[in-house]
Amino acid sequence: QVVGEDLSADAEQIAIDTLIVWGEEDETTPLREGKTLSTLMANATLVTIPKAGHYVHLDDKEATYQAINTFLTS
């Protein structure tokens, strides 16, 4: 039900460190949406995974793991 819903105001309220992992080839929710989301959140880190689509965690498990691990250990 969130498809097409503007959640910008909600995103602006998120102040904690946040990792956003996005597939560069995502055609369902394009990368521009992830970039916009990351600029709305005060402490967001956007990591893009090359050659991955909407299911980035399935398309490249290792890169997703590395992004999460780096975020959590830094």
Side-chain angles (χ1 to χ4, degrees):
Q1 288 185 331
V2 297
V3 175
E5 186 176 347
D6 184 4
L7 299 173
S8 299
D10 294 318
E12 290 173 339
Q13 299 302 311
I14 299 172
I16 62 170
D17 292 341
T18 304
L19 174 64
I20 302 170
V21 181
W22 215 279
E24 285 185 355
E25 309 284 324
D26 189 338
E27 295 179 6
T28 303
T29 312
L31 179 56
R32 70 177 178 274
E33 298 292 332
K35 290 178 180 179
T36 299
L37 182 62
S38 71
T39 62
L40 293 172
M41 300 167 72
N43 296 303
T45 300
L46 174 64
V47 175
T48 57
I49 307 297
K51 300 180 184 174
H54 191 68
Y55 297 102
V56 63
H57 61 290
L58 298 176
D59 293 341
D60 195 333
K61 294 175 184 140
E62 183 60 28
T64 302
Y65 164 78
Q66 289 298 329
I68 295 168
N69 188 52
T70 298
F71 179 78
L72 293 176
T73 58
S74 61

